[in-house]
């Protein structure tokens, strides 16, 4: 019952201020109108959409956690189960990323692309989860941290200093670099797996790190 | 049995103390009443007891497996469900430990919510939302019930009904904490322990009548008579047409009555932090 109660609440929270829906519409319209006009190749088109999906997951996540702080202050007390609360949040946000990916590729119904885009959005969402308390109490620290994380997500980590630490960097640029190296879309599947595991690790870190805020 | 124990608890908000060095205990079969002026830290204290805020220092001990019910002063949640569905869902969160379905119906009727069962909660007035919040807090049959300003926007009949439900919970081994800005003389007898929150500290009141003072505010009319000496003794402010009297709680009602007989306009009363 608690799961049903939370899912209902969080779904409404995602759609509360129409930001997610607006971004979703923009994404779909971009995919079907502007992208063909730009004359991008197939892989360039996918690369651009991966970055957009990542940003969409991030912005949707930040907005969701802001609304959660505003409206659900006492809901967590009613439920009284921290891990259930944040796990259901994560599942709902993952579902919104799936919805984004499905609607973006609704014409092709390409399962592989849907997986790739879902995990890219999921990394953005879990980054927002990691930073949520920073934005609540220390907005400047939150914004600087966000700037650094976005930089590390998008910067080329295939060479230079970042190469040595690329295993801890959000694997967004890695997917693009892999595609640019001439690999097929199928070759991105392991990177998608890495993105999903990365997202789960960020979820676990934020879960453990912020547990004290929920219960003593 | 002790349900809650706060030891030397302090909480700061951006450099300001919400409360400091607070010691507080709540037992089964006890109703604790915390009286305090606006901004005295009652809400922050209740949030801390409900583990919604982490204290900066001190220790909070909660009985194992204690279940909380909490009526916040303002619930920002936008509830689109109907009253019936919302209360039913909240009841289900506590599983078998919650009140039975038939008891929920009785509670709804007792709190005058039957005509509103099919209305979305967000469309209700503040007073009705407060009643829904109160019912949501009690339907889980909590061991610890925290009520922040539960009587606001309610008429005397509803306040009495709320107190009956609170008393019933108390008699069924729950502990209840009520925080309020005002204290109605008619409800004092319901409480087992009284506290006063002032200067960010919580003081246990042994003699309620002596400890609490009220500031009574009156304005002068054209036919107002002069203050008699027994009342002028309590005069605190006399500026233009405004009269303020600082009186002990036990004589508050008699002074108001006497002032009305002297044709003063009664503008209101507020609790003083002594």
């Amino acid at each position: 019952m608690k799961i049903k109660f939370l899912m209902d609440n969080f779904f409404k929270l995602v759609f509360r201020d129409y930001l997610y829906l607006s971004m979703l519409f923009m994404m779909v319209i971009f995919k079907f109108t502007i992208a063909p006009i730009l004359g991008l190749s197939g892989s360039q088109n996918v690369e651009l959409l991966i970055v957009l999906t990542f940003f969409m997951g991030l912005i949707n996540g930040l907005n969701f956690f802001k609304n959660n702080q505003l409206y659900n202050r006492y809901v967590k007390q009613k439920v009284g189960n921290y891990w259930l609360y944040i796990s259901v949040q994560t599942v709902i946000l993952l579902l919104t990323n799936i919805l984004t990916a499905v609607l973006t590729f609704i014409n092709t119904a390409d399962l592989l692309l849907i997986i790739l885009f879902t995990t890219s959005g999921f990394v953005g969402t879990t980054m927002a989860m990691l930073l949520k308390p920073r934005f609540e109490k220390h907005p400047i620290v939150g914004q600087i941290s966000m700037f650094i994380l976005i930089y590390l997500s998008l910067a080329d980590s295939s060479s230079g200093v970042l190469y040595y630490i690329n295993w801890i960097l959000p694997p967004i640029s890695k997917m693009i670099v892999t595609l640019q190296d001439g690999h097929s879309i199928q070759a991105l599947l392991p990177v998608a797996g890495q993105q999903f595991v990365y997202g789960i690790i960020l979820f676990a870190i934020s879960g453990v790190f912020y547990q004290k805020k929920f219960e003593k | 049995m002790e349900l809650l124990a706060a030891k030397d608890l302090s909480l700061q908000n951006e450099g300001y103390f919400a409360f400091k060095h607070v010691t507080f205990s709540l037992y089964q079969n006890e109703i604790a009443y915390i009286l305090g002026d606006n901004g005295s830290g009652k809400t922050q204290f209740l949030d801390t007891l409900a583990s919604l805020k982490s204290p900066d220092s001190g220790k909070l001990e909660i009985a194992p497996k204690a279940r909380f019910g909490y009526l916040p002063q303002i619930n920002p949640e936008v509830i689109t469900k109907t009253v019936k569905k919302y209360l039913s869902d909240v009841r289900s969160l506590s599983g078998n430990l919650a009140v039975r379905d038939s008891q929920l119906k009785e509670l709804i009727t007792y709190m005058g919510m039957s005509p509103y069962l099919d209305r979305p909660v967000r469309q209700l007035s503040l007073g009705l939302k407060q009643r829904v919040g109160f019912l949501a807090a009690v339907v889980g049959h909590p061991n610890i019930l925290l009520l922040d300003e539960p009587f606001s926007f309610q008429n005397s009949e509803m306040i009495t009904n709320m107190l009956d439900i609170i008393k019933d919970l108390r008699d069924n081994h729950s502990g209840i904490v009520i925080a309020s800005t005002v204290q109605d003389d008619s409800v004092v007898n319901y409480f087992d322990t009284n506290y006063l929150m002032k200067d960010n500290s919580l003081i246990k009141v042994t003699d309620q009548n002596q400890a609490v003072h009220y500031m009574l505010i009156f304005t002068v009319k054209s036919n107002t008579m002069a203050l008699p000496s027994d009342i002028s003794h309590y005069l605190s402010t006399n500026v233009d047409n405004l009269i303020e009297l600082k009186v002990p709680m036990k004589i508050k009602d008699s002074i108001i009555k006497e002032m009305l007989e002297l044709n003063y306009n009664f503008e209101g009363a507020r609790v003083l932090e002594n």
Side-chain angles (χ1 to χ4, degrees), chain B residues 148-203:
Chain B
D148 194 358
E149 303 283 2
F151 309 127
S152 49
F153 317 117
Q154 303 303 321
N155 60 33
S156 56
E157 184 193 347
M158 275 308 137
I159 292 173
T160 309
N161 290 358
M162 277 183 175
L163 286 164
D164 286 342
I165 294 169
I166 292 167
K167 191 167 166 289
D168 188 54
L169 272 171
R170 189 261 312 267
D171 296 341
N172 282 289
H173 313 301
S174 295
I176 297 107
V177 183
I178 301 173
S180 181
T181 312
V182 289
Q183 180 160 307
D184 191 324
D185 297 358
S186 62
V187 303
V188 173
N189 294 333
Y190 281 88
F191 311 134
D192 303 301
T193 324
N194 288 284
Y195 292 88
L196 185 66
M197 200 134 202
K198 67 168 195 174
D199 301 331
N200 309 112
S201 300
L202 192 66
I203 301 156

Side-chain angles (χ1 to χ4, degrees), chain B residues 42-108:
Chain B
K42 302 182 301 296
T43 297
Q44 308 263 4
F45 181 60
L46 257 58
D47 273 1
T48 309
L49 293 184
S51 300
L52 289 166
K53 283 186 184 289
S54 300
D56 294 303
S57 63
K59 198 173 176 186
L60 178 64
E61 291 170 357
I62 300 167
K65 297 190 178 177
R67 284 172 299 109
F68 279 84
Y70 189 16
L71 169 67
Q73 187 175 12
I74 296 167
N75 186 359
E77 188 184 355
V78 181
I79 304 164
T80 51
K81 293 175 186 171
T82 62
V83 172
K84 187 179 179 181
K85 172 89 174 110
Y86 176 66
L87 290 176
S88 172
D89 285 354
V90 173
R91 186 183 74 91
S92 304
L93 292 178
S94 294
N96 295 332
L97 299 165
V99 298
R100 293 190 306 276
D101 196 39
S102 57
Q103 288 174 312
L104 174 61
K105 282 178 185 157
E106 285 170 18
L107 283 168
I108 287 169

Side-chain angles (χ1 to χ4, degrees), chain A:
Chain A
M1 185 59 212
K2 284 183 180 177
I3 293 174
K4 188 168 170 279
F5 183 85
L6 286 174
M7 289 193 86
D8 181 60
N9 182 296
F10 294 151
F11 258 123
K12 284 175 181 158
L13 210 59
V14 168
F15 297 105
R16 172 152 323 280
D17 52 14
Y18 307 106
L19 179 71
Y20 171 70
L21 279 179
S22 305
M23 288 194 300
L24 183 62
F25 295 151
M26 282 192 271
M27 181 79 170
V28 173
I29 290 167
F30 180 85
K31 159 85 185 342
F32 290 107
T33 58
I34 301 298
I37 293 171
L38 290 173
L40 302 172
S41 68
S43 59
Q44 282 174 328
N45 195 20
V46 171
E47 287 160 17
L48 187 61
L49 288 174
I50 284 172
V51 175
L52 289 178
T53 312
F54 164 70
F55 280 129
M56 194 169 153
L58 181 67
I59 294 168
N60 181 42
L62 286 172
N63 188 54
F64 176 86
F65 291 117
K66 185 199 83 183
N67 283 341
N68 183 57
Q69 169 71 9
L70 275 177
Y71 299 111
N72 279 355
R73 195 165 150 57
Y74 298 100
V75 172
K76 57 178 109 169
Q77 188 276 326
K78 278 196 190 84
V79 175
N81 185 331
Y82 172 74
W83 284 102
L84 180 72
Y85 189 85
I86 64 163
S87 298
V88 175
Q89 275 187 339
T90 309
V91 169
I92 293 294
L93 289 170
L94 181 61
L95 288 174
T96 58
N97 286 314
I98 292 173
L99 179 66
T100 308
V102 167
L103 287 181
T104 308
F105 294 100
I106 197 160
N107 58 329
T108 58
D110 188 330
L111 185 63
L112 189 63
L113 283 174
I114 289 170
I115 292 171
L116 297 181
F117 279 73
T118 299
T119 54
S120 298
F122 187 57
V123 172
T125 300
T126 48
M127 273 170 54
M129 183 178 282
L130 189 70
L131 291 174
K132 61 183 172 180
R134 296 277 81 78
F135 274 96
E136 286 161 16
K137 286 207 163 180
H138 311 285
I140 293 173
V141 177
Q143 286 171 50
I144 292 170
S145 308
M146 183 59 65
F147 174 79
I148 294 168
L149 273 176
I150 292 174
Y151 175 80
L152 294 175
S153 305
L154 300 181
D156 182 7
S157 59
S158 61
S159 59
V161 181
L162 293 179
Y163 175 75
Y164 299 100
I165 53 162
N166 68 4
W167 56 277
I168 59 164
L169 302 179
I172 298 297
S173 64
K174 190 173 182 179
M175 191 171 262
I176 293 162
V177 170
T178 308
L179 207 56
Q180 283 183 335
D181 285 347
H183 292 94
S184 64
I185 296 283
Q186 281 79 1
L188 296 180
L189 209 50
V191 186
Q194 192 185 344
Q195 284 183 330
F196 185 71
V197 172
Y198 194 87
I200 295 293
I201 291 170
L202 287 189
F203 158 72
I205 290 172
S206 66
V208 171
F209 198 63
Y210 302 128
Q211 188 168 11
K212 192 173 173 289
K213 286 182 174 296
F214 189 88
E215 57 188 21
K216 290 173 192 69

